[in-house]
Amino acid sequence: MKALSTVAAVALAAGALMAPAGASAAESKSTSNAPCFFVSQWRGWTAPNDDTLYLRVSRNQIYKVQVSGGARQLRSPGAFLVSESRGGSVCSHMDLDLIAADSGGFRAPLIARSLVRLTPDEVAKLPKSDLP
């Protein structure tokens, strides 16, 4: 019995030591390619065409959002983007509830079809005018 409990204790200790390494590997994978961020990290946006939004998250992350509903209204003077938050984080286009609006009361829903975090190489290829 004692030998079995010693083996079990060693196995549990080894598992506990491996858990942080596994967690940090999963965490780094999550931050490297998964499109997740907290709404409070969103810093700016641009609408370079009718179907695309770029979101700046934190200091140096850019996300591309493909939308239906026409982002062309967002290129009008005085227009702004409203995000009706459904929680604290965004991990999918389904988490985005976006509206194009202006100070005159105009509101048009934008339906997010996709959300992709751009790589640094993809960001570097964007025209400077498209960066949020």
Side-chain angles (χ1 to χ4, degrees), residues 38-52:
F38 292 107
V39 174
S40 61
Q41 295 174 301
W42 186 352
R43 300 290 176 240
W45 60 272
T46 57
N49 60 52
D50 292 353
D51 303 313
T52 307

Side-chain angles (χ1 to χ4, degrees), residues 1-13:
M1 266 317 220
K2 186 175 180 184
L4 181 57
S5 49
T6 302
V7 170
V10 169
L12 286 173

Side-chain angles (χ1 to χ4, degrees), residues 27-86:
E27 191 175 290
S28 68
K29 182 179 179 186
S30 167
T31 57
S32 66
N33 61 6
C36 286
F37 58 89
F38 292 107
V39 174
S40 61
Q41 295 174 301
W42 186 352
R43 300 290 176 240
W45 60 272
T46 57
N49 60 52
D50 292 353
D51 303 313
T52 307
L53 297 175
Y54 290 116
L55 308 178
R56 179 173 297 278
V57 174
S58 294
R59 200 175 96 171
N60 59 355
Q61 297 174 13
I62 304 294
Y63 288 80
K64 181 178 182 178
V65 183
Q66 293 298 128
V67 296
S68 297
R72 69 184 160 278
Q73 292 92 346
L74 291 171
R75 293 194 310 276
S76 301
F80 53 93
L81 182 63
V82 177
S83 174
E84 300 285 334
S85 179
R86 286 188 243 157

